[in-house]
């Protein structure tokens, strides 16, 4: 089954229960898997650091906990999901500047209705956190340039009735667009993406509210 999209749950949205519920409901409407969902860490990392944990340890624990929580959230919406970390079963390995996908390990999950993958990859036999933008770009390249779906952080986009199908360029984004709409981690992504909302995600691939940035 070809992977047509990579849905990115970014740092801020992982703390937004309303967004996550809407996203899960949309995912349920898609039926058989057409893509994968990926995530990194969230502000939970900072809360763990405040308890005295070192940043790398806190991030590792936060990502592992988030993976389990997301699987549980999806299950509440009736969505069977397998949560996996990139370092498990040799799925994703960092070698030099490259992140390599083990296609055989990936295909072993081929019949999984939904696959949730964290940005913890393997390097020299140990888990390594990879920033979500780099992780997204690498996964897309390994999956035949599958579409990267980001979700607007502008909550007004979720409730606007009018349809919007814009095409923008990273080199000439409208003033203030990156700050108000793009997830903070992806402001300088400079890679083709489709920006949509959690609710409109249910309409994939015929999105009504989508901004293409190339």
């Amino acid at each position: 089954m070809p992977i047509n999209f990579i849905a990115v749950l970014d740092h801020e949205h992982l703390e937004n229960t309303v967004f996550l519920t809407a996203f899960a409901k949309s995912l349920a409407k898609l039926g058989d898997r057409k893509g994968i969902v990926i995530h990194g860490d969230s502000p939970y990392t900072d809360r763990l650091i405040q308890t005295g944990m070192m940043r790398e340890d806190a991030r590792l624990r936060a990502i592992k906990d988030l993976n389990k929580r997301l699987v549980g959230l999806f299950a509440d919406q009736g969505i069977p999901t397998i949560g996996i970390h990139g370092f498990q079963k040799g799925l994703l390995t960092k070698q030099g500047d490259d992140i390599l996908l083990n296609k055989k390990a990936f295909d072993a999950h081929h019949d999984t209705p939904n696959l949730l993958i964290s940005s913890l990859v393997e390097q020299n036999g140990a888990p390594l956190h990879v920033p979500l933008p780099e992780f997204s770009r690498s996964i897309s390249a390994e999956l035949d340039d599958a579409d990267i779906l980001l979700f607007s952080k502008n909550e007004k986009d979720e409730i606007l009735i009018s349809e919007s199908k814009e095409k923008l360029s990273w080199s000439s984004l409208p003033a203030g667009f990156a700050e108000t709409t793009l997830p903070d981690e992806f402001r300088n992504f400079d890679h083709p993406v489709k920006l949509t909302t959690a609710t409109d995600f249910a309409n994939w691939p015929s999105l009504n509210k989508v901004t293409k940035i190339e």
Side-chain angles (χ1 to χ4, degrees):
M1 182 189 299
I3 299 302
N4 298 318
F5 68 77
I6 299 164
V8 181
L9 299 180
D10 61 87
H11 187 85
E12 294 168 273
H13 276 129
L14 284 169
E15 288 277 285
N16 187 331
T17 304
V18 173
F19 165 84
L20 290 174
T21 300
F23 175 86
K25 288 180 178 178
S26 290
L27 191 62
K29 292 177 182 177
L30 292 182
D32 291 340
R33 177 159 65 95
K34 299 178 180 67
I36 60 173
V37 182
I38 65 173
H39 72 93
D41 72 339
S42 75
Y44 180 41
T45 298
D46 295 320
R47 294 196 293 275
L48 289 174
I49 291 171
Q50 291 171 4
T51 69
M53 293 183 70
M54 298 293 290
R55 175 166 292 277
E56 288 307 311
D57 293 337
R59 182 182 283 131
L60 187 68
R61 176 174 164 185
I63 291 174
K64 288 182 176 180
D65 286 355
L66 282 166
N67 196 267
K68 292 178 182 177
R69 284 169 50 195
L70 288 168
V71 169
L73 173 68
F74 295 162
D76 288 343
Q77 296 297 329
I79 309 168
T81 305
I82 286 185
I84 189 170
H85 303 288
F87 67 84
Q88 291 178 318
K89 300 181 180 179
L91 184 63
L92 289 148
T93 306
K94 180 141 190 183
Q95 297 182 7
D97 293 331
D98 298 323
I99 298 173
L100 305 178
L101 175 68
N102 182 329
K103 298 289 179 63
K104 185 175 181 180
F106 184 80
D107 288 343
H109 297 289
H110 205 65
D111 295 329
T112 306
N114 291 282
L115 192 59
L116 174 72
I117 306 176
S118 85
S119 61
L120 294 174
V121 305
E122 180 185 335
Q123 185 179 58
N124 300 324
L128 172 73
H129 165 257
V130 175
L132 201 53
E134 177 187 351
F135 188 69
S136 305
R137 188 183 294 112
S138 298
I139 288 272
S140 174
E142 290 286 276
L143 294 174
D144 300 322
D145 296 319
D147 284 341
I148 297 174
L149 297 184
L150 300 181
F151 296 91
S152 174
K153 73 174 190 177
N154 188 342
E155 294 185 0
K156 291 181 180 178
D157 288 346
E158 192 68 69
I159 59 175
L160 287 177
I161 302 302
S162 60
E163 294 185 357
S164 172
K165 294 184 180 180
E166 295 182 278
K167 181 176 286 189
L168 302 175
S169 169
W170 282 106
S171 60
S172 57
L173 291 175
F177 179 87
E179 292 78 10
T180 60
T181 309
L182 283 172
D184 289 350
E185 297 157 279
F186 289 84
R187 285 188 189 178
N188 302 302
F189 191 42
D190 198 25
H191 187 88
V193 298
K194 291 181 177 178
L195 186 71
T196 186
T197 69
T199 302
D200 196 41
F201 176 47
N203 296 317
W204 174 266
S206 302
L207 299 173
N208 295 318
K209 300 176 182 178
V210 58
T211 300
K212 299 178 182 178
I213 311 177
E214 298 178 345

